[in-house]
């Protein structure tokens, strides 16, 4: 069979442009493709919501690939195990209440199920700002991660959604942008980002689900960013809280659309 490089190029440009154009307006836009963002994308797509996720890096998966200290196994508690089972991610009980799964199977399955359920993922794009209308955030301002990394002066572009999800992990970048630009008006006890506390797995796992909620009109927080924004300990390589948080944010938002 004859192959023409120009047709290959056209195929990529045309399909990508159509895909991006289709998601200029969505029900939900998620910043960050770690376990929390991927899980949220999956449950929102399953609930028939139009959902798009933007990930800065080449690959989604965030901090899940590396398990604990690059030992690529992850641990979840009994509640987290239910979500692993829903996704079909194999896991074994190590000791009562501690379930272990392979980090690579976990990431690849979360990503595959989210995409096949209908979530659209754009990698290599970074959220650098938010769009605002009156007292509500209404969209993400995006740029290519390569532009950001090279520190080039190139203006970004905007997408719009009914709800935004901050799932950027420990740095809670979207919340920081909102705080910096809009002052201390977040729905936290201080009005600003409360901050992440030192390691305490048991308390952190509980807190992350409680802290998964709207932190500014139009913007919800999920995953490790929830404990950073509302205050709560980190929990290290135990990932059930991330999955439960992703599911909870999807349920909260789905009810409002
Ligand atoms: O860090 P990450 O995995 O966050 P998570 O889903 O899970 C946290 C755990 O991995 C781990 C933990 C477990 O106890 O504490 O840390 O809450 O995934 C966040 C993703 O967001 C991307 C980043 O590259 C990563 O893949 N990200 C961060 N900032 C931006 C972003 C941004 N401004 N725009 C787009 N993507």
């Amino acid at each position: 069979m004859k192959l023409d490089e120009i047709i290959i190029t056209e195929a990529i440009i045309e399909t990508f442009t159509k895909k991006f154009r289709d998601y200029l307006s969505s029900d939900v836009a998620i910043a960050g493709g770690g376990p929390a963002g991927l899980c949220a994308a999956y449950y929102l797509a399953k609930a028939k919501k139009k959902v798009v996720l933007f990930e800065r890096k080449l690959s989604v998966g965030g901090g899940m690939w590396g398990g604990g200290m690059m030992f690529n196994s992850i641990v979840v508690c009994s509640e987290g195990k239910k979500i692993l089972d829903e996704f079909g991610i194999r896991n074994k009980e190590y000791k009562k209440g501690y379930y272990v799964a392979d980090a690579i199977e976990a990431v690849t399955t979360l990503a595959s199920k989210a995409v096949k359920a209908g979530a659209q993922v754009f990698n290599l794009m970074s959220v650098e700002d938010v769009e605002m209308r009156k007292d509500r955030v209404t969209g993400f301002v995006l740029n290519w991660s390569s532009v950001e990394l090279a520190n080039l002066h190139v203006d970004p572009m905007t997408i719009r959604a009914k709800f935004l999800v901050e799932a950027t992990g420990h740095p809670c970048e979207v919340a920081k942008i909102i705080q910096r630009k809009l002052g201390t008006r977040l729905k936290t006890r201080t009005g600003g980002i409360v901050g992440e506390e030192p390691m305490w797995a048991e308390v952190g796992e509980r807190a992350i689900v409680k802290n998964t909620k709207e932190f500014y009109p139009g913007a919800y927080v999920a995953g490790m960013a929830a404990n950073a924004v509302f205050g709560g300990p980190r929990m290290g390589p135990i990932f059930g809280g991330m999955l439960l948080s992703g599911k909870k944010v999807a349920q909260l938002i789905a009810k409002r659309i």
Side-chain angles (χ1 to χ4, degrees):
M1 191 197 145
K2 280 196 339 195
L3 281 175
D4 184 341
E5 286 80 353
I6 301 304
I7 297 177
I8 297 170
T9 306
E10 269 175 8
I12 291 171
I13 293 174
E14 278 184 25
T15 50
F16 179 84
T17 307
K18 180 177 182 319
K19 207 158 57 174
F20 193 41
R21 200 179 166 162
D22 283 348
Y23 282 87
L24 296 183
S25 291
S26 309
D27 290 327
V28 188
I30 301 171
L38 287 174
C39 208
Y42 169 75
Y43 286 107
L44 282 160
K46 280 236 319 178
K48 303 272 178 273
K49 307 303 172 201
K50 186 175 177 188
V51 52
V52 62
L53 184 154
F54 300 99
E55 166 54 50
R56 168 180 285 139
K57 298 203 170 141
L58 187 54
S59 55
V60 290
M64 207 181 215
W65 294 105
M69 232 179 107
M70 298 205 292
F71 293 17
N72 67 357
S73 293
I74 58 156
V75 175
V76 301
C77 57
S78 323
E79 287 302 303
K81 176 197 168 33
K82 287 184 197 150
I83 300 195
L84 290 185
D85 291 342
E86 274 178 47
F87 274 90
I89 297 167
R90 293 169 298 170
N91 57 88
K92 272 200 183 129
E93 193 170 40
Y94 175 71
K95 282 195 176 164
K96 196 168 163 35
Y98 296 79
Y99 298 86
V100 185
D102 178 69
I104 309 305
E105 178 174 345
V107 172
T108 52
T109 309
L110 287 174
S112 168
K113 291 261 178 172
V115 170
K116 285 186 194 293
Q120 180 64 58
V121 174
F122 290 101
N123 58 343
L124 297 168
M125 287 193 198
S126 294
V127 173
E128 64 160 61
D129 205 344
V130 289
E131 183 198 61
M132 174 96 191
R133 289 290 181 273
K134 293 190 186 139
D135 283 336
R136 186 185 169 82
V137 286
T138 49
F140 283 143
V141 177
L142 301 167
N143 217 326
W144 294 111
S145 303
S146 48
V147 165
E148 181 190 67
L149 288 166
N151 206 13
L152 300 177
H153 188 163
V154 178
D155 271 317
M157 298 205 291
T158 307
I159 61 92
R160 194 164 290 157
K162 291 177 188 147
F163 291 99
L164 306 180
V165 178
E166 146 67 284
T168 65
H170 295 270
C172 64
E173 290 191 18
V174 173
K176 279 189 186 143
I177 293 164
I178 295 177
Q179 174 176 256
R180 191 177 72 242
K181 297 224 162 166
L182 303 169
T184 48
R185 286 153 50 199
L186 309 188
K187 298 177 179 202
T188 62
R189 64 182 154 82
T190 59
I193 292 167
V194 179
E196 187 185 296
E197 295 163 16
M199 182 84 86
W200 191 351
E202 188 186 329
V203 175
E205 283 271 284
R206 272 200 306 273
I208 206 159
V209 179
K210 191 171 129 261
N211 288 337
T212 299
K213 52 190 171 182
E214 193 174 46
F215 69 96
Y216 191 85
Y220 282 74
V221 61
M224 206 50 229
N227 278 5
V229 171
F230 284 100
R234 67 180 307 184
M235 66 286 281
I238 180 152
F239 283 84
M242 305 303 143
L243 306 175
L244 293 163
S245 170
K247 185 171 183 175
K248 180 178 172 189
V249 83
Q251 288 168 337
L252 291 176
I253 294 175
K255 268 195 235 154
R256 292 186 64 186
I257 298 174

